[in-house]
């Protein structure tokens, strides 16, 4: 790999690009033995650990509009999307490889901004950019990131580990990203939408939060909320062969989310239930386990934990006070 | 990850897809602890080993034309492209994740064929499909595969390890794939082009070959020939801070390659030098080291080894009897 097809990408020279990446990489450190420039990168994972492995794509006019986002935000968001999967497994990131496809005419400024976003997020979350591939796209920008992480054998958070009698919880305020996306779609530039838009464009992965919940509250089952509470809770229940019962009214809100609900004419809980694009976590825990660490968690991470339902015997998802399934799309 | 955005992809249902993949996966075995269906896959790498990590993309009308290739060939080729990077590092594959972007209207037959190709190649080369992501594309088909592999610390083949005084070798007959691509571009359906077209559409990674060369002939520096001998030899020399001197006339040929050269009006050695799309290896070795194992290698793998030049002090690439740089594209 490693940006070898850069000649396809117009004015972006391969050697210049690899040099820029090498210069920008943090010195030594982490698990990166060999970064961009060979057929593959080399990582040194902690001995005896299991690896997690995930891949995600962002495609222009499918997952984002270029007018909404800077190249830097896009690079960071691509990495965070993968880091959220790593978090939902309770793992620590090891490194990422990124394939970027660009239409003719995208210049080095775009690539530089995109790389800066990737490298900044990589530094923040200790996930070095190990390698990549740059090629021509037939139309718009498309980018795919694959990430590896490490986790001790048997300690991964798994969708299939929910058990009847447990409580269902969410981190943060799911729905905020979907409301931000709605604001972008409507072209709203009102000041109050700023925090919502930021939640969509600059999400954060819940890496330390997930590890805390596993270690301090015995959490074993989690899923990230990238596809909305309704769909993700269904998946968790299906994998665990349990029924999940949620209270729509229990879903956390914020003043901005309530304002968005009013202005855009949707019930507040719709954003969390059907909106998606959040990188919060939904997880299950034994009754009382999270309550004992809730205050410590909220102080440490500045993020609410909210109990939103229960795991029961049987199958299927029930949402009490359901506002009705709303037809959000990830994108308009 | 794991095909969670399948709802974007028209008629392809997520659950059906994950079930088909799970059913098709080889039972247990290999390093795969948890396959598709969670936020990330889990792999169990050999303890104490280093990981290699690579990513590559195939985009419709940039890297292939849909009229030339079956979905099954495309899936297999995507994996082989990554396996060739793993081979060029002297590593053994651990697993792959694949992001597939499809335009509206591609049906389940395409996805099934593509998956069958991925899974067949994964079985052949012991590289299980660990997870993936399915999403809508803005236009044509695009697919990205990321692979991990394992290698003992210090044993990876590195581009920077060539030393002055060594010989330069290639496996197989580079250029055959480029001649096959030329035949496809020209719409030639003459019988003699069959083996060349097959080399383009159904390439093979040189995994066992690379490990043999390292273990039996002390090879430390290699690169795969996906971008042609000229470009790849330049990269190896640059990374090793050495000059490489190649003999164009020494490059191996076949009757089909000579026929293609005649019919399509290019010098034989142009296909290997500038053609690309081969997944053969170029490597360097101490004088005499390969000669001692050449016969055993060729018997074992049914593949020629050819000495094509030398590593010298200095920098830059010299090609003796150079037919002149030819303007191949990876694709017409």
């Amino acid at each position: 790999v490693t940006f070898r097809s850069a000649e396809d990408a117009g004015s972006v020279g391969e050697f210049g690009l690899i040099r820029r990446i090498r210069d920008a990489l943090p010195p030594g450190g982490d698990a990166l033995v060999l970064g961009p420039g060979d057929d593959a990168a080399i990582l040194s994972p902690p001995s005896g650990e299991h690896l997690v492995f995930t891949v995600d794509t962002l495609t222009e006019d499918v997952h984002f509009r270029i007018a909404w986002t800077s190249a830097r935000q896009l690079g960071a968001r691509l990495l965070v999307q993968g880091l959220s999967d790593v978090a939902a497994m309770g793992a620590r990131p090891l490194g990422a490889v990124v394939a970027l496809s660009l239409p003719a005419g995208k210049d080095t400024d775009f690539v530089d901004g995109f790389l800066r976003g990737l490298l900044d997020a990589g530094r923040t979350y200790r996930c070095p950019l190990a390698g990549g591939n740059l090629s021509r796209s037939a139309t718009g920008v498309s980018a795919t990131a694959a990430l590896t992480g490490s986790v001790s054998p048997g300690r991964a958070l798994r969708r299939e580990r929910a058990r009847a009698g447990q409580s269902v919880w969410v981190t943060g305020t799911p729905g905020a990203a979907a409301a931000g996306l709605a604001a972008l779609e409507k072209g709203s530039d009102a000041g109050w939408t700023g925090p919502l838009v930021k939640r969509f464009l600059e999400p954060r992965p819940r890496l330390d939060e997930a590890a805390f919940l596993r270690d301090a509250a015995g959490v074993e089952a989690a899923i990230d909320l990238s596809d909305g509470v309704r769909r993700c809770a269904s998946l968790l229940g299906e994998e665990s062969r349990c029924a999940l019962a949620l209270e729509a009214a229990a879903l956390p809100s914020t003043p901005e989310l309530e304002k968005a609900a009013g202005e855009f004419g949707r019930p507040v809980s719709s954003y969390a239930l059907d909106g998606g694009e959040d990188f919060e976590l939904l997880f299950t825990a034994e009754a009382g386990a999270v309550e004992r660490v809730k205050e410590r968690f909220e102080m440490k991470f500045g993020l609410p934990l909210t109990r939103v339902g229960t795991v029961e015997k049987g199958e299927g998802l029930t949402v009490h006070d359901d506002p009705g399934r709303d037809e959000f799309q990830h994108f308009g």
Side-chain angles (χ1 to χ4, degrees), chain A residues 136-170:
Chain A
R136 177 77 59 89
S137 78
T139 51
V141 175
S142 183
T144 296
L147 275 75
T148 58
S150 72
V151 65
S152 298
R155 301 269 287 162
L157 303 177
R158 305 261 296 254
R159 293 183 183 176
E160 69 195 17
R161 294 269 164 86
R163 295 289 169 261
Q166 292 183 324
S167 302
V168 181
W169 295 78
V170 295

Side-chain angles (χ1 to χ4, degrees), chain A residues 164-187:
Chain A
Q166 292 183 324
S167 302
V168 181
W169 295 78
V170 295
T171 63
T173 52
L181 174 54
L184 286 168
E185 281 174 336
K186 288 172 200 300

Side-chain angles (χ1 to χ4, degrees), chain A residues 75-100:
Chain A
R77 192 171 192 284
L78 180 70
L79 198 70
V80 166
Q81 192 169 300
L83 287 167
S84 181
D85 285 324
V86 172
M89 300 302 287
R92 289 171 301 282
L94 281 172
V97 291
V98 171
L100 177 61

